[in-house]
Every structure is written in C-alpha cells, then in structure tokens.
Amino acid sequence: MASNSLAQDLDDILVRTYDLWDELRSQRIFITGGTGFFGCWLLESLIWANDKLGLNAEVVVLTRNYDAFRNKAPHLANHPSIQFIIGDVTSFNFPEGNFSYVIHAATEASAKLNEENPLLMFDTIVQGTRHTLEFAKLCQAKKFLLTSSGAVYGKQPSALTHIPEDYIGAPDPTHAPSAYGEGKRAAEMLCTLYGKQYGFEVKIARCFAFVGPYLPLDTHFAIGNFIRDGLQGGPILVNGDGTPYRSYLYAADLAVWLWTILLKGRSCYPYNVGSEEDMTIANLAYIVAKAFSEAIEIKISQSPIPGSNPSRYVPSTKRALTELNLQSRVNLADAIKRTIIWKYSSSGSK
C-alpha cells in the first residue's frame, strides 16, 4: 500500500482521471524510467486505479537497479501487477508479447552529466528513444508517450513571460550544455517519424519543473535542495542571485496531465506540462522556509547584476487547458508542505 501521505493524492488523481482508465482495462503497458520521479508517480497512480477499479492491467518496467527501487518503494516493487526487466535504455532486451502502450520516461535531467559528459547525455537520449521506439514498433503499440522537456525551446526570451508550444526557438547547437535540449528535440523528431511511418499515436509532453514526493533532494533541482536545507534546519542556500523565474507543478497534477496526454492528447502535437505560477528563485526560497514550523534562515550567495534581464523557464499551458481541460489544482505552498510531510513519513522522522 502507498503511504498515508500519498493516499489522498492518489484518490484525487483517480477522481480526476476516472473516465480514462477503462481504455487500459486488461492492457499491457511498458514504461522506461519507471523507477524515477516521473515513473514512481505513473506507477503509483496506475496501480491505485488498477486495484480500485479492477482493471487487470499489467505493467512492465525497465530499470537499471531493481534493488535500489525495492528499497525506495517496496509496495510498488513487490506489486503483483508490476514486472521488472533490468537493462539500459539504449540496449535493453525487448520483453516478449504485445504492449498496447509504451511510456518513455527514461533519461535523467542531470545537470552534472550534461556538464561533464554532454556527448553521453545526447547519445543516451537519442539512442534510448530510438531503441524504445523500435520496441514500440515490434510490440504493436497503439500509443507512445514521450516525456520531453521545455529545454527544447532553448533560452526563453526575457520579454516572453510564458513560452507556448508554437515558439520556434531552439538551443544553441554550438554550445555543449545544449546537449540535453537538443537530445530532446531529436527525440521528438524520432517519435514523429516512427509514429507516422509505423502507424502508432505519438504523444509528446514537454515537461518543465515539478515538486512532490519522490523528487530528489540532492541534485540540481533548486526546490528539492531548498526543502533538503529546510529539513536539516537551514540555512536555505540560494546559489546565484535569486533572480531567475521558475514555476512548479505538483506531482499529483503531473500524473493527471501525463495520463490524460497519453490517452486523450493529439498525436505528434506537443503539450507543455507545468505551472504558470511564476516566481523568482529567491521568492521560492522564502515560500519553502515558511513551510517549516521553525524559523529557517535564507542565504543568497550573489547580488543581482544591475540592468541584467533575469532568466525565465515558465510555460504557457493554454493548450493543455483549452484542449484537455488540464489545470494545476495544488498551489505551490501546499505542494511544498505535502512534499515535506511525505519526506518525514517515508524516513520515519518526527
């Protein structure tokens, strides 16, 4: 069973997606990246619906490290409806049989890897996507979901407050750290080509920034680092001047959006996935600090450069709202509090 701190979220997801699940009745689903942040929420919500509605769906999950996942989420690792295969996304052995749905959520958004070995980052995204598409072709998938990224747009113009799907900007191909964004662009192209040539629907979710249970608290995600700092009693350290603008969608909302895009979205037609509630990183630090009962100090390491335009990474989600009726239901303050509560409950802290 999911922890008590997740049960309310999973019930809410089920209510909001209730009309979707019949399509998955007695179906087989294959998921890459199923043990990461996105994958855990996809599995939690799928298994919750499977058990509550008697869907009799089966899911096969590709993982590089089953033992680590079993330690993190034993109720998922041991669930009878989930099977695991061990392998790398670029070379895994294809499981036997047909799968109606393939979800490709692999490839960590690792700033460290993108900085230290951008070629490996690019190759992993592109080769992993092509290998998974080859499997989708072989297993006669009907629908394929790619979790892409807002990084495909390149640097967001400071005058563009919320970036829409029809923005035609791109990462700088002569800048090595563009490997992640360029890799995702190539992945979208591969998905489009395979879908059109082999006759399956391709759904593209361009994902921005998120918060919620299972979010790593020790990587490059600012909100995760701030929550970690708060859990340790502070101070919350802001690397940089705190002026960049970001927005964060709660993980339960994310799960609703991804399932809806997979099952109801238009093929070869990207949807931004994220929140339009923008704020500076400095303001984010203050919101995180206020979520704790004790006073938490905030340290901003640099001063803003006079006259400079702050960077932005904030989506327009009008397409998702108007076409799929997708909305952000959990505000950021509540999202942070729920993440903290889950972290306390999952670690046994009091």
Side-chain angles (χ1 to χ4, degrees), residues 19-76:
D19 293 338
L20 298 177
W21 294 108
D22 261 356
E23 185 175 331
L24 296 183
R25 193 171 294 278
S26 299
Q27 300 298 309
R28 299 181 79 206
I29 302 110
F30 179 76
I31 303 178
T32 73
T35 57
F37 173 58
F38 282 23
C40 283
W41 276 92
L42 289 168
L43 289 179
E44 290 277 18
S45 51
L46 173 61
I47 294 307
W48 197 260
N50 204 36
D51 292 346
K52 297 284 186 178
L53 304 179
L55 299 179
N56 194 36
E58 298 178 14
V59 58
V60 174
V61 177
L62 174 69
T63 182
R64 289 172 297 182
N65 192 335
Y66 173 76
D67 291 336
F69 182 66
R70 183 174 55 191
N71 290 333
K72 178 170 72 172
H75 64 290
L76 294 176

Side-chain angles (χ1 to χ4, degrees), residues 255-267:
V256 171
W257 287 42
L258 292 180
W259 286 118
T260 303
I261 291 169
L262 169 65
L263 298 173
K264 298 298 182 185
R266 291 166 58 181
S267 185

